[in-house]
Amino acid sequence: MHIEWSTFFIQLIAFLILYVLLSKFAFGPLFGMMEKRRQLVKDQIQTAEASRKQADQLLEEQKQALQQTRKEAYDIIEQAKHTGSKQADDIIHAASAEASRLKDEALKDIENEKNKAVAALRSQVGAMSVLIASKIIEKQIDEKSQEELVEHYLKEVGGNV
């Protein structure tokens, strides 16, 4: 195989000219486009990573907010239970006080009615004793003697009651 040096050099020069022309007009813009594409992909990856980090942070914040809300709800429920229990105790205490007051009033009313009944009984006993005494003696007693007799019988009746 025989090499023709003149053709070889012409082909080499043509190749170099073609390489220079391609590198100036084709490779430069092609590599520029590839660099732009690489930068775009890199930016998108960085943006996606930043978005993922932000989403993780928001998720954590939401978890903390949910936990705080649950704690507040639990505190509100506990406070409502405590308030309800306190109100129930207050109502029971008030009802007990009212029952005691009503009992005391009833005892006072009973005592008043008893005193009225004793007074009415005394007056009836006094009137009956005067009537009996007047029938026994069969004479009319004067007013002063009647009062003395009534007082005497009232003392006797009052001591027995």
Side-chain angles (χ1 to χ4, degrees):
M1 198 160 55
H2 178 259
I3 297 179
E4 291 217 17
W5 289 105
S6 63
T7 315
F8 174 75
F9 285 118
I10 292 175
Q11 287 178 351
L12 183 65
I13 292 174
F15 178 76
L16 289 175
I17 292 172
L18 181 64
Y19 179 76
V20 169
L21 288 175
L22 283 175
S23 65
K24 184 173 185 178
F25 295 110
F27 292 144
L30 181 64
F31 288 141
M33 286 175 50
M34 290 177 74
E35 180 62 27
K36 284 181 186 178
R37 177 72 177 159
R38 187 188 67 78
Q39 188 63 34
L40 177 68
V41 169
K42 183 180 173 184
D43 289 345
Q44 287 177 345
I45 289 173
Q46 288 176 348
T47 303
E49 184 65 27
S51 295
R52 189 190 58 78
K53 286 181 182 179
Q54 186 178 12
D56 288 344
Q57 183 182 4
L58 288 174
L59 180 64
E60 186 63 32
E61 287 175 5
Q62 288 178 351
K63 284 181 182 179
Q64 289 176 356
L66 181 61
Q67 187 176 13
Q68 181 67 24
T69 303
R70 284 182 179 158
K71 183 182 180 301
E72 288 174 3
Y74 177 78
D75 291 344
I76 289 170
I77 289 170
E78 287 300 313
Q79 184 178 8
K81 284 180 184 178
H82 177 70
T83 302
S85 175
K86 186 175 184 245
Q87 286 178 345
D89 290 344
D90 290 345
I91 289 169
I92 289 171
H93 180 70
S96 176
E98 180 67 14
S100 177
R101 184 187 65 79
L102 290 173
K103 180 182 170 187
D104 290 343
E105 284 181 10
L107 289 175
K108 285 179 187 177
D109 288 346
I110 289 170
E111 187 65 29
N112 286 339
E113 290 299 318
K114 177 184 163 190
N115 290 338
K116 285 180 186 178
V118 167
L121 187 60
R122 282 184 183 171
S123 109
Q124 287 177 357
V125 167
M128 287 174 119
S129 62
V130 169
L131 182 62
I132 292 171
S134 67
K135 283 190 179 186
I136 290 177
I137 345 182
E138 290 192 25
K139 68 172 189 167
Q140 200 69 2
I141 359 184
D142 64 353
E143 194 174 310
K144 185 176 178 187
S145 306
Q146 184 179 354
E147 281 183 29
E148 288 174 4
L149 192 56
V150 167
E151 288 297 319
H152 173 68
Y153 280 120
L154 285 178
K155 286 181 185 174
E156 281 184 23
V157 172
N160 291 335
V161 177

